[in-house]
Structures are given as C-alpha cells and as structure tokens.
Amino acid sequence: MKAADCLINACDVDREGSNIFYSILRQAKIKNKPIQRLWINSLEVDEIRKGFQKLQNNDKDLRMFKEAETRQISDWLVGMNASRLYTLLLKQVGLNEVISVGRVQSPTVYMIYERMREIEQFEPKPFFEIEGTFEATKGSYKGKAKVKEAKRVEVEKILERAQIRENEAIDGHIQKVTKKMKRQLPPKLHSLSTLQQKANRLWKYSPKLVLETVQKLYEKKLVSYPRSDCQFITQAEFDYLKQGLPKFQQLMKVAFEPKSLAPSKRYVDSSKVEEHYAIIPTKTVPTLAKVSKLSDVEKRIYVEVMRTTLAMFHNDYEYEETTIETNVRDVLFYTVGKVEKVRGFKSLWPTKKEETDETLPAVVKDEAVQALIHIHEGETKPPKPYTEGQLIQMMKTCGKLVEDEVESDILKEVEGIGTEATRAGIIETIKRHDYIEVRKNIVSLTEKGRILCQVIEGSLLASPVMTAKWESYLRKIGEGNGTQEAFVRNIEKFLTHLITITPQMVQAIDLTAAKAAAVPVASKEPIVTCPQCQEGSLIEHKSFYGCTNYQKGCKFTISKVIAQKRISPNQVKDIATKGETALLKGFKSKKGNPFNAKLRIENGKVTFEFAEN
C-alpha cells in the first residue's frame, strides 16, 4: 500500500465496508494517497469490470467511515459504562452477578421478558361455540356457526330459540356454495434471516448453526455471500441462473417447463440490491458425488437455497377454495376447504401434513343434509414463548412495537436492531451471559435475565428506541450534516444521567426474589445421599441437582425449577430421604393456573402427587 501510487477501496458499499477500509488504512499508517472507490453490487466478472471502468471518488466513504466509527465508539462507551454500573450497584445490594449491558443485547432480552410476563399474567377465559357435523349425499363434512360467547347459557339460548337439541339428528340444507380460484406466488429468494427462520422452523437449527453452515457452503463456492439482508438479485445473477437452469434441475432431479425466462421485479431489481444480493447457488453446479460428501446440515441448507431459487422459474400454486353455507333451522354454519388444481412451485418441496387434509365432498345448493349439532367449549390461549428462529424476526421487526411514528419508521427502514451478520451472535451472547435458556428450541428467561430487565426497566437500554435515535443522527454524519463530536457528547450526557439516577432506581426495586434466585448457582457441598445409586451425593449445579456418581453411570437429577417453582436443597433432602416432600404451594401449570402438590420419586424420576381436593 505504501508503494502504490493510488489505492482502490473495494470493500462493501456500506458504512461497515468503509469502516474496514479506513481502519486498515489507519493501522498501516497510510496518509495522503489518492483513493478511488469501486462501487458494485454484483460479483459477476462483467459487473466487476464495468465497476473498474467507472471508479468513483472516495469522499462519501470517508463520511460513512465517520458514521460507522461513531457507532463503534458509542456502543463501546455504553456497554463498558452501563455494564460496570449495574454490576457494581447490584453487588452493593447483595447480587454477586456480572451484568453485561448493550444497545442491542439488552432490548433483545427485555422483549423476551415482556413476552414471558404476558404468558405469566395471562388468565385463560372459557368460550363457547356451536359446531355441526353434516351428512350429505356424497360424504360428510364439519362446520361452525359465527357464534362465540363467554357463557354457555348464551349459546344454549340460541339453540333453544332454533329448537335444536344437542347431538340429536336434525334436517338442514345447503344454502350456498361458493367456489373461488386462488393462487400463491413462489416464495422470495432467501436473505440470511429468512433462511435462519425457515431452518429453525423445519429442523430446529439455531441461527448460529445456519450462519456457520452457509459460510461453509460459500467457502466451497456453492452459494453466494451468506451475510446478506437482501432478497433480490441483479440482472447479472439472473442471467447465469437462467443459463444454468437445466443443470440445476438435473442436480435436483426435478423437471418442469419454466413459467417464464424473463426477469420478474419480485426477484430481480438492481435498485434494491446494495452491498449484497440474495443467497442463491453460484455458477458452480456440483456433481452428485460432491453433494454426497456434504454433511447432513450442509445438504439441507444447500437444497433449501436451490429449491427457493428454482421456484423463481416455476408456476404459481393454484387451488380452488370452496365455502359451504349450511342452514339448520336458520342457524348458519360455515365450512371452508380447498382443492389443489396446480401444485406448481410446491412440487419442489415435500408435501406438508396439513396439505393432505381431506377435501370436501361434492355438494350442491339446496341439497338436504342431516345434521348433528353440539356446543364446543374452548379456552383462550396465552401467547407462545419465542423460538430461536422467532428471535431473529423479533429483532428485525421490533419497529412495530415502538409507538413514536418517526422512530418506528426508522427501525423499519434499518430492519430493527442488529444486522444480518450480528443477530445470531447477539443471541449466542445473551445465552453465554446466562440471560436466556433454549430447550427444545423454546426460549425462556433465566433469573439473571429477569434481574437485568427489572433494573433497566423504563430506561432507553430496555427499548429498541435507542437504536432509532442513534440511526437518526448517524445518518446525518454519513450525509455530512452532523459531527462525531456532537454525537459522542450526547452519549456522555446520557451516561452521566444514567450514573446519577440508577442508584435510586436499584434501591427502589424490590429485589427480594432476585436475591433468593441469585444464590451461588453451583455448590460442591453434598446435600444428601443419592436415592438412586446410594453411593454418590446430590450436589447443586447451575439449573439442577445431580449425583456426584455421574461418570460411573448414575443419571439421577432434580430440576431446580419445576412448574415455575424453585426447589430448595431442603426439599431435595425430603425427596431423597422420605421419598416425598410436604404439600408444596406455588406451582403453575402450562396455562398459568396455580396448583399445590407433593413431589415424589417414581421409577427414578420426580413426579407430582396432587392434593386430593
């Protein structure tokens, strides 16, 4: 670089690419060299050549570097100061935990906390509906009236007025049959986050595993750049995909006539491609032998990328949706079903279970049917906890949770908090800090995560709004209308204010439960002789009590939290020595209903013995 007459910046065309270039320049102590900018969004040879023929000046990059550097400095200042602040203050009130705080990780944990609170505070409510089973000439079908009441008596009144008795055969007729042809477009191409979400949904893969796998496929020259937030390609990529279509079809063992070989704006739009385009197969079409050498995870991810790319050339999925309106003594029942007409792009994927549901029998208007009517009792369900894949989506779409319209729009534009490249790492970070646990793909908050959320509640650190406020001013720096100095001064003011008010906030919070939960997470002191092997002792681990004879084959464990209730060492002693505990209060069912029970050992496992009442 020192010997060169001119330097060409060929990093990514975004602020982090500019950051990389100028950081290298600074480390190499290079000054006063002419710099030109290669500005391309495709890695096809012809596009790269065109880019070199139209090199630009580097003025914009210097501003973008300042924008990125300001973001780095500010993240460091907030993370370093806030983490130490909360760690020291909580230590003063008896919580000996290291608390890590950051602009992205803390709002992520807090949003999980909000979902957990919604679940915990949810009170299920019963509801009553009217359902029917109908026997027509060519088969039976089911339907439901547009009735939903909180009290059974209200539904009973409706049936009474219509002189309908439950589960007693009664005549009805088909009042209306409506048929509509509907179509579903092939899916968009994959960005990293959509691929992470789908792989998590299908195979429970963590976002980190998906990123690592796509990186390996990229290094094997089988797929394009993995850390892409874009679902579009340019004309250059479309041209090689169109040319290689027969080979891709042969590799995937699928034969279909392309719907069109002309580019569609749904997939091909250069104006929407910035530094990286969608994740697609490269020109390198591997042999079956090469594919067979891929690991199972690599095969699945590669095939998913290939299928999504082929779908771009395939037909729409078409089906006929039928709605039957059944009249039983002026109570109307509605039934919706579908008949597949053109499988189209869906033929590239295995058939899903729900797609094999029974189709409706052929019926006609005014046809007589025999009906059996009954009242269905249901119960409202709490929100479901997040899966790991849903965390990625939550981070991307958190703008819709922000009330301020301007801040919400900014978050939507920058696609939430974190980036395609960092979100998987953020999830791994909050796991490593013991803020969340992931079991069977379900994310739950730990006691430590709950403590963090309690102490940051009400501050900018708990909200994605901080990112919106930052992005608003960082853009001004990138546009030349703001300065790094002004931004950092505001960060210093924010931190000074935080350091001033947080001690009172921590003192005002009732941390009794948190202190109880924050006892040393593991103790090597034996609690009681293991009831299973009678040789080892039960000792306390991070999330369970386990036998010291583990390496010799004793797998006996007792979870430290059962049905949302923390189990104490004394209760473990009772289980091991007496075979059961006293009647314990404070358990909660999956629906959030409290219950009392004893804990006892049965077939080597801890089970409930419910109170007789």
Side-chain angles (χ1 to χ4, degrees), residues 410-424:
I410 292 170
L411 282 166
K412 285 174 189 171
E413 200 173 324
V414 299
E415 296 202 317
I417 53 177
T419 65
E420 299 291 299
T422 62
R423 288 187 189 110

Side-chain angles (χ1 to χ4, degrees), residues 192 211-212 214-215 218 224-230 275-277 279 420-422:
L192 175 61
L211 176 55
E212 288 172 349
V214 192
Q215 180 68 29
Y218 171 65
S224 59
Y225 185 76
R227 292 168 179 80
S228 173
D229 61 357
C230 182
E275 59 273 19
H276 302 296
Y277 46 81
I279 301 174
E420 299 291 299
T422 62

Side-chain angles (χ1 to χ4, degrees), residues 410-612:
I410 292 170
L411 282 166
K412 285 174 189 171
E413 200 173 324
V414 299
E415 296 202 317
I417 53 177
T419 65
E420 299 291 299
T422 62
R423 288 187 189 110
I426 292 293
I427 293 170
E428 291 303 311
T429 297
I430 61 178
K431 279 190 207 172
R432 192 174 67 249
H433 289 317
D434 192 31
Y435 292 145
I436 63 168
E437 286 179 334
V438 181
R439 290 184 184 172
K440 294 183 180 178
N441 200 34
I442 298 299
V443 178
S444 61
L445 202 68
T446 63
E447 288 298 333
K448 185 177 176 183
R450 201 174 285 267
I451 294 165
L452 169 71
C453 295
Q454 286 176 340
V455 295
I456 66 171
E457 192 160 18
S459 77
L460 270 179
L461 292 169
S463 170
V465 165
M466 178 179 271
T467 291
K469 290 182 181 298
W470 283 27
E471 287 296 338
S472 178
Y473 194 84
L474 288 171
R475 286 179 180 185
K476 290 182 181 178
I477 297 172
E479 293 161 358
N481 299 321
T483 67
Q484 185 178 90
E485 294 72 25
F487 190 86
V488 173
R489 274 199 305 273
N490 280 329
I491 295 298
E492 287 173 359
K493 285 178 187 174
F494 165 71
L495 287 169
T496 303
H497 178 66
L498 196 70
I499 291 163
T500 305
I501 65 164
T502 303
Q504 298 97 296
M505 288 174 66
V506 170
Q507 292 293 336
I509 295 169
D510 181 7
L511 293 172
T512 309
K515 289 178 188 178
V519 294
V521 294
S523 168
K524 298 302 175 189
E525 290 296 316
I527 297 168
V528 67
T529 301
C530 175
Q532 184 134 315
C533 69
Q534 297 294 327
E535 291 179 11
S537 299
L538 295 184
I539 61 170
E540 188 176 356
H541 292 273
K542 187 174 177 181
S543 58
F544 65 94
Y545 302 97
C547 183
T548 53
N549 223 13
Y550 175 80
Q551 291 185 331
K552 293 181 182 177
C554 183
K555 301 291 194 297
F556 184 78
T557 61
I558 300 174
S559 177
K560 285 172 83 170
V561 178
I562 299 175
Q564 298 187 44
K565 179 176 176 63
R566 183 165 287 278
I567 307 306
S568 70
N570 285 335
Q571 288 158 352
V572 170
K573 278 183 188 176
D574 286 346
I575 294 171
T577 56
K578 301 174 185 177
E580 64 179 23
T581 64
L583 187 67
L584 303 178
K585 296 180 179 180
F587 293 110
K588 280 189 180 178
S589 70
K590 288 180 181 176
K591 291 181 179 178
N593 298 323
F595 67 91
N596 305 333
K598 293 180 180 181
L599 293 177
R600 59 195 300 270
I601 298 175
E602 195 173 292
N603 299 325
K605 291 186 177 179
V606 175
T607 61
F608 293 113
E609 182 180 305
F610 295 99
E612 286 182 12

Side-chain angles (χ1 to χ4, degrees), residues 251-431:
L251 177 68
M252 293 294 292
K253 297 180 181 176
V254 291
F256 62 88
E257 194 64 34
K259 179 185 176 183
S260 171
L261 290 175
S264 160
K265 277 280 186 181
R266 182 173 171 81
Y267 310 100
V268 186
D269 191 342
S270 297
S271 68
K272 292 183 179 174
V273 178
E274 292 179 357
E275 59 273 19
H276 302 296
Y277 46 81
I279 301 174
I280 55 173
T282 60
K283 286 179 180 176
T284 306
V285 182
T287 61
L288 286 171
K290 185 172 181 179
V291 172
S292 67
K293 288 178 184 175
L294 297 175
S295 70
D296 286 345
V297 179
E298 287 172 333
K299 276 183 205 163
R300 280 176 167 174
I301 297 294
Y302 182 65
V303 167
E304 173 58 28
V305 170
M306 185 67 84
R307 281 173 174 157
T308 308
T309 305
L310 287 175
M312 174 173 63
F313 296 97
H314 217 306
N315 294 299
D316 299 348
Y317 172 68
E318 295 179 35
Y319 61 95
E320 183 182 74
E321 186 179 87
T322 302
T323 304
I324 303 173
E325 205 173 288
T326 310
N327 188 320
V328 182
R329 295 190 178 174
D330 291 333
V331 178
L332 299 182
F333 294 81
Y334 296 87
T335 309
V336 179
K338 70 178 187 181
V339 177
E340 201 172 79
K341 294 294 186 182
V342 179
R343 186 141 182 83
F345 71 88
K346 287 202 173 190
S347 61
L348 296 169
W349 280 269
T351 305
K352 293 177 183 176
K353 285 181 184 176
E354 60 265 29
E355 291 177 353
T356 59
D357 290 347
E358 290 181 24
T359 53
L360 298 175
V363 294
V364 293
K365 186 183 174 187
D366 297 328
E367 182 179 341
V369 297
Q370 195 168 57
L372 279 175
I373 309 301
H374 68 275
I375 297 172
H376 168 73
E377 182 178 350
E379 195 174 63
T380 55
K381 304 287 185 192
K384 291 184 177 178
Y386 289 115
T387 64
E388 261 196 282
Q390 287 168 340
L391 288 188
I392 294 285
Q393 183 67 6
M394 177 197 80
M395 293 166 81
K396 277 191 78 168
T397 59
C398 60
K400 64 186 180 185
L401 304 174
V402 174
E403 289 182 9
D404 184 280
E405 197 173 325
V406 174
E407 290 167 351
S408 178
D409 288 344
I410 292 170
L411 282 166
K412 285 174 189 171
E413 200 173 324
V414 299
E415 296 202 317
I417 53 177
T419 65
E420 299 291 299
T422 62
R423 288 187 189 110
I426 292 293
I427 293 170
E428 291 303 311
T429 297
I430 61 178
K431 279 190 207 172

